[in-house]
Every structure is written in structure tokens, then in C-alpha cells.
Amino acid sequence: MSWETLGVYRLLSSIPLFVIIVNLQYEGSEGGANPQEIDQHLKLGTQLLSAGQLADALSHFHAAIDGDPDNYLTYFRRATVYLAMGKSRQALPDLTKVIRLKPDFTQARVQRANVYLKQGKLNDAENDYMEVLRVNPSNEDAKTQLGFIEPIREAVMETDEMMTQGRWNEAIELLTVAIEKCVWDPSLREKRAQCYMEIGEHFKAINDIKPTTKMRPDNTEAYFRVSKMYYDVGELEDSLTEVRECLKLDPDHKSCFPHYKHAKKLNKLYDSAQNFINEGRFEDAITKLEAALRLEPEIWAYVLRSKSKICHSFRELKDVPHAIKNCAEVLEMDENNIEALVDRAETYILAEEFERAVEDYQKAHDIDNNLRHVAEGLEKAKRLLKQSQKRDYYKILGVKRNARKREIEKAYRKLAAEWHPDNFRGEDEKKAAEKKFIEIAAAREVLADPEKRQMFDNGEDPLDPEERQRRGQNPWGHHGFHFNPFGPGGGNGFNGFKFHFN
């Protein structure tokens, strides 16, 4: 069963006389215009209403009323459709017409009173219920509903006093009780939204204001208010959606139009920055994000968003000082920002500050231990920390972790020439030189090979027999390596000196 059909059934069940009315023989049209055609429209409209096809039912009742504008039952049925569609404003004139055509039709008066009560029009609802009870003192529906009115009045008055005293939570409780009965009263929702805003429940406030855009005709102020509330919590797309609805009603609205231009410009900057990030153009992304910061330097959500992406972009650029500075600023604003922790941890790895990298990754993992990239990053940082306490190929060659292959080869050639064993004469010096020479060659072997370098950067030493054994490889089975200090590997050594080792 669809929600729309279910809503109709619930509505019909609240009208005890409806089934009787539907089964009544139509009382003929006083206008006398095509009675058979009118009767057919009524029959089809009633069937479609029962099936939940509200729009089609409404069109048939429109046609029946056009043919016979004095049939009170047709107005009542059309009002029933309007109510099922949530269009109480359209239902009220039809119910009033029914009462004018047939003053003793109490069910129409009860329905109108129910609509007034839901709209928060307590005096009008009270008058209708009292009139029903004057005609029929035993009407239980009217008695029950009338009993709600005075407590609602008192609750609303008490709520106003609570709000002046800053007792926001108490006011919310009373307003919630009132709204359960006056569900279509925009003023009650606006008051509760104000209370929610005062206690920082912005999204609950939005959920209260949003329905009021439909409760009052051409409610541009409500659209603007919802748009601003979305904007203030960082929901830029939703803010633009709501402000566009305002501009549909008034293209030159004094508040909506400038807000739309501002929000659209900010959104465009973020879109451009994200596109640049996706394309790897991080310097261009930073330019756009800095422009976004200048455009919106006050609201926390946007400052955080801009700085977070700047932090990430500097990390991708391997600009250690700027990445750490910007990531730190993000974490000052939001100490549990996982992505900023990850970006700073990766930057610490670039700076070879592995203990700090472990700390940041550990904190991110403690915040959410279900994130795979955080768990993998933490393990990598721990391996690198352990590795740093052993042999560091970057330090052996004296190059940075982001050094290019050309720099690695240059450093290798210089050190290989300096530490070649043929340069030393004493036995002890020659042995020390051989050991150093082997370390230099090993460093070049790893760092000049993209696959091995990636393993090393992930915290694994591809030349460590224990780690190779742990990975299920033969620790001596990688055919060793052969090198020429001035060549790409293998071949003749320097001055005929040649090493083969595992």
C-alpha cells in the first residue's frame, strides 16, 4: 500500500459518517445540467478517492461541481480529497460552502473545526465545536477535540514566558505537545525553531521551518530563513536549493538575491578547487581555496572546509612546512578531524618524523577503527618507525624521501667513488670501506627500483631476509644483485673491482 493511499485511509477513518455519505443516493442536481454526467463524475471521483488516486478524483469532483454548484455532498467530497492531499487551505472554502448550503450537516462543521485546530486557529475551532454540541450535545468527536483547546492556549502563553526567560528546553517540550494537535500552525514551528537554534540544534530548527514554506502562501521569508540556516551549517547545495525557491516567487527579493549570488560564487570556487584536486593540479586548487577563505572568512564550516583541502593539497605537493601548518590549523578547529590527522601523518612521514606520524594515525584510528585507509596508514607508520631504527637507505645516500631518480643516481655515484675500497690501503680501512660501499650499493639497489622503493616507503625492507621470509619469499632467492658504481647495475666494476653479494 502506498503512503498516499494509507494517508487517505487514515483520513477516511477519522470521518465516521463518510461511508454513510458515500452510500447515500445522490440528491439530484438543482441546476438540472446533465444529471447523468454529473452522477458519473461523482461515482468515478468516489472510486478514485477510495483507491488513493487523489489527483484524478479531484478532477472528477471539479467537473461535478461545475455541473451542479449547489450539491453540498460534492463539495464535501472534494474537501475530503484536498485534506488527503494536505491542502487544508483549499479544503476550508469547500467545507464552509457545505455549511452554508446545509447548516445542519454537523460532520462538515466538525471537519472544519478539525482543520482550524490543526492550523492553530483556536477561536474558530472552538466556535465550530460549540455549535456542533449545541445542535448535538452527544457528539463525542466535538467534545474530545474541544477539550484540547484551552490547554493548548495555556501552553502557548506559558511557552512565550519561558522563551523570554531563556528556558529553551522547557519551551520545546510544551511546543511539541501543542504542535501534535496544531500540526499546520506555522507560528508554533517558528517558535520551536528559535528554541532549537538557541540550543545549537540547527538541523532540528531547519526541519521546523521548512514545512512553513508551504503553510503560508508565497512564504519567501521562510525560504530565505531555511536557506540561511543551511548555509550557516555548511550545507551549501541545500542552501542554494532553498534560495532558488525564494527567487521563483520574487526574482528581486532583497535578501534572497544577494545571498544567492554570494552562495553561488562560493560554491563555484569549491567546485573548481575539487576539479583541480581530481586532476592533480594542487597549486591551482590552493589558489581557489584561498579565494574561498577570503570570500567566507567567518563561518566555521567553510573555514574548516577550505583549510582542510589546503592542508591536503600541500601534503600532495610534498610541501612539508605548509602542510603541517595548515593541518595544525584544521586540528585546532576540529581536533577529531580524521582526514587532517591522516594528511598530517603522511606529511610527518615525508619529514621522517615517524613517531609523530604514528601518533596522528593512532588518534585517527581511535576515533574510527573501521576506516581501512587509516588502519593501513597506521601499520605503515609503525613499520617505518621500526625501519628508521635500523637501516635507512635515504640517509645512507643523503637524499630526501621525495628525491627523484636522477638525484639518487647522482648521490650514489659520488659516494661510490668516495668509498670505493680501491681508494684505501690499510686492511682495516679497506674493510670499513667495503662495508660502507656495500651499504651505498644496497641503498641504490632499493631506491633506484620503483617497486623496491615503494616497498621501502611502506615500511618494508626488500633486502631484509627476515621480512622476505615473513612475506613467504626465499630470503636469498632474488638472484642477489650486481652493480657498477657508475652504471645501471651489473657489468664491470670501478678499476676492475667487482662485487657479487646477497
Side-chain angles (χ1 to χ4, degrees):
M1 180 183 295
S2 69
W3 285 107
E4 192 176 56
T5 304
L6 182 60
V8 174
Y9 288 163
R10 286 177 177 168
L11 178 71
L12 299 188
S13 66
S14 71
I15 309 175
L17 298 181
F18 184 85
V19 175
I20 298 174
I21 294 168
V22 169
N23 290 328
L24 288 174
Q25 293 292 326
Y26 305 127
E27 297 188 356
S29 66
E30 297 176 10
N34 299 318
Q36 290 182 341
E37 186 177 342
I38 294 170
D39 196 59
Q40 183 67 12
H41 281 303
L42 289 171
K43 182 178 179 181
L44 289 172
T46 302
Q47 290 174 351
L48 291 165
L49 172 59
S50 299
Q53 300 179 39
L54 303 181
D56 293 333
L58 193 62
S59 65
H60 284 288
F61 289 135
H62 285 330
I65 287 172
D66 289 342
D68 182 3
D70 296 320
N71 188 330
Y72 73 93
L73 285 178
T74 310
Y75 285 103
F76 186 72
R77 293 191 182 94
R78 188 169 73 174
T80 302
V81 177
Y82 279 135
L83 291 173
M85 297 173 78
K87 297 181 177 181
S88 60
R89 288 201 305 272
Q90 291 90 331
L92 271 178
D94 278 357
L95 291 170
T96 300
K97 182 74 172 180
V98 173
I99 294 167
R100 189 178 299 123
L101 291 171
K102 194 168 179 61
D104 60 345
F105 188 17
T106 57
Q107 188 59 32
R109 196 176 290 275
V110 169
Q111 281 299 98
R112 187 173 72 172
N114 290 343
V115 172
Y116 282 144
L117 178 58
K118 290 179 179 179
Q119 291 180 336
K121 297 177 180 178
L122 302 183
N123 293 337
D124 293 332
E126 187 175 52
N127 291 337
D128 269 348
Y129 287 134
M130 291 179 69
E131 177 61 22
V132 170
L133 291 172
R134 186 187 68 78
V135 175
N136 181 10
S138 62
N139 190 299
E140 291 299 324
D141 193 9
K143 281 183 184 178
T144 301
Q145 297 296 90
L146 183 61
F148 293 127
I149 291 178
E150 192 56 35
I152 291 173
R153 277 201 188 103
E154 293 175 359
V156 172
M157 290 178 63
E158 192 174 351
T159 294
D160 291 339
E161 184 178 348
M162 288 175 176
M163 291 176 68
T164 60
Q165 296 171 354
R167 296 157 59 192
W168 308 112
N169 286 303
E170 294 175 66
I172 288 170
E173 289 181 14
L174 280 183
L175 286 165
T176 299
V177 172
I179 289 170
E180 287 176 359
K181 292 299 177 184
C182 306
V183 293
W184 298 329
D185 184 350
S187 65
L188 295 180
R189 292 182 179 273
E190 288 163 353
K191 287 181 180 180
R192 190 169 68 175
Q194 182 183 343
C195 295
Y196 279 134
M197 289 293 291
E198 292 291 342
I199 63 173
E201 294 280 4
H202 293 87
F203 284 101
K204 288 184 178 179
I206 289 170
N207 289 336
D208 263 344
I209 294 295
K210 208 167 182 180
T212 68
T213 60
K214 307 298 181 186
M215 293 176 184
R216 289 195 178 105
D218 298 336
N219 197 353
T220 54
E221 289 307 314
Y223 280 119
F224 173 67
R225 191 174 174 189
V226 173
S227 179
K228 275 289 292 170
M229 291 164 81
Y230 271 131
Y231 181 85
D232 290 345
V233 295
E235 298 294 333
L236 196 50
E237 292 288 350
D238 288 328
S239 176
L240 284 167
T241 297
E242 296 299 325
V243 78
R244 286 187 184 107
E245 293 299 319
C246 171
L247 294 174
K248 286 179 185 177
L249 298 171
D250 182 359
D252 300 316
H253 192 278
K254 64 180 182 180
S255 299
C256 291
F257 184 65
H259 174 65
Y260 171 72
K261 288 199 301 183
H262 176 84
K264 185 179 179 183
K265 184 176 181 180
L266 184 61
N267 195 51
K268 187 176 180 180
L269 286 171
Y270 282 134
D271 284 345
S272 297
Q274 189 58 54
N275 288 335
F276 286 139
I277 289 172
N278 294 342
E279 295 168 5
R281 297 167 59 186
F282 298 106
E283 290 178 345
D284 292 329
I286 290 169
T287 299
K288 294 295 182 182
L289 292 165
E290 288 175 341
L293 267 177
R294 290 192 296 273
L295 181 64
E296 185 49 84
E298 300 294 336
I299 293 180
W300 183 89
Y302 300 110
V303 175
L304 183 68
R305 181 175 177 180
S306 299
K307 287 183 176 291
S308 296
K309 290 184 180 294
I310 290 172
C311 153
H312 176 74
S313 297
F314 276 124
R315 168 212 158 176
E316 293 289 350
L317 289 169
K318 304 187 188 313
D319 185 334
V320 172
H322 285 98
I324 289 177
K325 174 180 176 293
N326 281 276
C327 292
E329 289 176 358
V330 173
L331 292 166
E332 284 177 9
M333 298 179 68
D334 178 11
E335 64 178 358
N336 293 324
N337 190 302
I338 289 177
E339 293 311 314
L341 286 166
V342 168
D343 282 327
R344 190 169 70 174
E346 288 296 319
T347 306
Y348 279 140
I349 287 173
L350 283 173
E352 301 182 21
E353 297 184 44
F354 302 117
E355 287 186 7
R356 290 187 172 185
V358 170
E359 288 174 5
D360 275 353
Y361 264 126
Q362 186 63 62
K363 183 173 182 179
H365 189 262
D366 291 343
I367 295 168
D368 188 345
N369 59 11
N370 294 315
L371 296 175
R372 182 176 176 181
H373 72 291
V374 172
E376 291 175 348
L378 177 58
E379 288 305 310
K380 180 181 75 172
K382 287 179 177 179
R383 288 196 303 269
L384 287 167
L385 176 59
K386 183 179 178 182
Q387 180 191 87
S388 70
Q389 296 162 352
K390 295 181 180 179
R391 174 167 58 176
D392 188 332
Y393 295 124
Y394 289 104
K395 287 184 178 178
I396 290 170
L397 292 184
V399 296
K400 294 181 180 179
R401 296 187 77 87
N402 60 351
R404 297 180 180 180
K405 186 174 181 180
R406 184 175 66 249
E407 297 172 85
I408 291 168
E409 294 286 0
K410 182 179 179 181
Y412 164 71
R413 290 191 181 97
K414 179 181 177 182
L415 290 170
E418 180 182 346
W419 287 95
H420 196 288
D422 285 355
N423 294 337
F424 300 88
R425 295 289 175 258
E427 189 64 27
D428 291 341
E429 288 182 341
K430 189 177 285 286
K431 284 184 179 180
E434 286 179 3
K435 184 178 177 181
K436 183 70 173 177
F437 195 72
I438 289 171
E439 284 185 351
I440 294 166
R444 186 253 182 192
E445 171 74 9
V446 171
L447 300 184
D449 183 301
E451 184 178 349
K452 291 177 184 175
R453 183 177 182 180
Q454 184 63 52
M455 290 173 64
F456 186 75
D457 286 346
N458 287 332
E460 299 179 29
D461 187 341
L463 303 184
D464 187 332
E466 290 182 6
E467 291 196 11
R468 289 174 58 78
Q469 195 167 23
R470 179 173 56 80
R471 294 195 304 272
Q473 298 176 356
N474 180 352
W476 312 110
H478 195 60
H479 56 73
F481 60 86
H482 311 278
F483 66 92
N484 179 337
F486 300 103
N492 295 322
F494 180 71
N495 291 335
F497 194 94
K498 184 175 179 181
F499 282 91
H500 300 276
F501 59 88
N502 292 321

